[in-house]
Amino acid sequence: MKVEVFPLAQSGPDDLSGLINLIETGRLDPKTIVAILGKTEGNGCVNDFTRGFAVATLQAYLRPLIGDAATEQIVFVMSGGTEGVLSPHMTVFTRQSEGLTGPTQPGLALGVCHTRDFAVEEIGTLTMVQVVAEGVKGAIAAAGLACEDVHFVQIKCPLITASRQGRGAITQDSYKSMAYSRGASALGVALALGEIQPAELRAEDICANYDLYSTVASTSAGVELRNCEILVLGNAAESHSDCCIGHSVMAHALDAGAIHRAIASAQGAGGGDRIVNIFAKAEADPTGRVLGHRHTMLDDSDISHTRMARAVVGAVIAATVQNPMVYVSGGSEHQGPPGGGPIAVICKRG
């Protein structure tokens, strides 16, 4: 497998100029695209339509090039919210499996999966956990990885809107449904990777028992889909990729040390000095304190705490690596310890 990663700056959610240039100059074959992660400049909440706008724009461009079926197989993960210094961009992942020659080396491998659509009453429940866990296992198998080789699992998951509420829904609050969906999806990752055991997990633990979490899960909820789209990233012993991935876990929003540990992890796996992109989760610490000091992110009725957390963590990462074009997603329920979150780094040789 040969995996390539292309971070592309965007002037807006519908700006495909960077992608079009790569394709028209022959540097990227659109038939090899398997996943596109984006940071769009909406509010990252329920009514952030920049996510769906970005996906629709990409699909409309790619369908004439690669066909409907191939376009539907691509994992599109758009994370809304570029607060603070975060710079809007997309990261395109390609995978080539045939016609490869030359020696192999340790390098990046990936697998993807699309789950079935979820009924409204399944979102945020144990059923969702189990379906996601099976999807993650399938993506790991498609990547040819073992669980210990996995460094990052990105999932786009659905939410509950007012028009889609049902009797058995876990909540009637659309915004809260984002947290339940993210949390259940993250627990599915933890279950698939053996980070938690089935006997440890009860329905009432979802978005309640934060001692249960994954160290590599990153989940993002949106109104633009009804299933889960899963991207698994890890390192294979025999790869044709020039990239490697590593990860760490931020213990809190200001944990710059975790950034350095994630970089060292990627470089230690065989990656070079060039950072391709950084992917992190952000959350306002539910205790209301950061490093022993009170914060007010959870008490502000004007601005969502997920937006504030993205701005803080985005600034910490950008300042550390001197690049604001990084992927930071808000809301880290069961994704790392409370107040923290997983962080992954892709580095490239040469």
Side-chain angles (χ1 to χ4, degrees):
M1 183 185 300
K2 181 179 182 180
V3 174
E4 293 187 280
V5 188
F6 303 89
L8 304 169
Q10 290 184 280
S11 63
D14 60 341
D15 177 18
L16 306 186
S17 58
L19 178 61
I20 292 171
N21 179 262
L22 286 176
I23 291 173
E24 291 184 346
T25 57
R27 288 176 288 169
L28 188 156
D29 181 353
K31 294 179 181 178
T32 64
I33 297 174
V34 290
I36 301 178
L37 274 59
K39 282 303 303 180
T40 63
E41 55 212 81
N43 60 23
C45 299
V46 176
N47 64 330
D48 183 351
F49 298 105
T50 64
R51 297 179 303 230
F53 180 36
V55 172
T57 303
L58 283 162
Q59 290 176 332
Y61 170 68
L62 291 170
R63 278 198 179 98
L65 297 179
I66 63 176
D68 291 342
T71 301
E72 292 301 318
Q73 290 304 307
I74 296 173
V75 167
F76 293 99
V77 179
M78 298 298 138
S79 172
T82 52
E83 297 82 4
V85 298
L86 289 173
S87 184
H89 70 283
M90 72 170 82
T91 304
V92 181
F93 292 83
T94 65
R95 179 181 61 195
Q96 183 182 351
S97 302
E98 299 177 356
L100 299 172
T101 59
T104 59
Q105 58 192 340
L108 189 63
L110 65 78
V112 298
C113 177
H114 294 71
T115 71
R116 64 169 175 81
D117 286 357
F118 290 97
V120 170
E121 59 269 20
E122 293 177 323
I123 294 174
T125 68
L126 283 178
T127 297
M128 188 176 199
V129 173
Q130 293 159 356
V131 172
V132 169
E134 290 305 309
V136 171
K137 290 177 182 178
I140 292 172
L145 296 169
C147 288
E148 58 267 25
D149 300 323
V150 175
H151 286 272
F152 200 62
V153 180
Q154 178 65 58
I155 298 178
K156 191 68 188 181
C157 50
L159 56 82
I160 301 169
T161 62
S163 62
R164 291 189 60 222
Q165 289 179 357
R167 266 188 177 180
I170 197 164
T171 179
Q172 300 299 312
D173 186 316
S174 295
Y175 187 66
K176 287 183 180 178
S177 79
M178 298 180 79
Y180 277 107
S181 186
R182 290 190 300 256
S185 297
L187 288 170
V189 177
L191 194 62
L193 294 175
E195 295 177 293
I196 60 174
Q197 299 304 313
E200 298 179 76
L201 184 60
R202 304 166 301 166
E204 55 265 34
D205 289 326
I206 301 172
C207 288
N209 180 5
Y210 291 112
D211 289 334
L212 303 176
Y213 60 81
S214 171
T215 59
V216 297
S218 171
T219 65
S220 174
V223 71
E224 66 270 17
L225 77 175
R226 299 194 178 190
N227 65 334
C228 281
E229 299 192 1
I230 301 168
L231 169 65
V232 168
L233 296 168
N235 295 317
E238 296 184 359
S239 170
H240 288 269
S241 178
D242 291 327
C243 296
C244 284
I245 187 170
H247 82 280
S248 185
V249 181
M250 297 182 74
H252 51 79
L254 302 177
D255 188 3
I259 304 169
H260 294 291
R261 292 192 295 272
I263 294 170
S265 173
Q267 293 175 341
D273 293 332
R274 177 185 162 196
I275 296 174
V276 178
N277 209 345
I278 298 179
F279 308 88
K281 289 300 298 187
E283 157 173 282
D285 195 307
T287 66
R289 305 186 81 82
V290 175
L291 295 175
H293 297 277
R294 186 171 73 94
H295 72 76
T296 60
M297 288 185 279
L298 295 168
D299 302 319
D300 194 317
S301 299
D302 296 316
I303 304 173
S304 165
H305 58 87
T306 56
R307 305 193 71 183
M308 294 189 185
R310 276 193 298 269
V312 172
V313 175
V316 171
I317 296 173
T320 300
V321 300
Q322 291 295 286
N323 185 353
M325 204 174 82
V326 293
Y327 180 100
V328 180
S329 174
S332 60
E333 302 84 3
H334 302 292
Q335 301 153 72
I343 178 169
V345 177
I346 296 177
C347 288
K348 186 175 183 179
R349 306 178 189 96

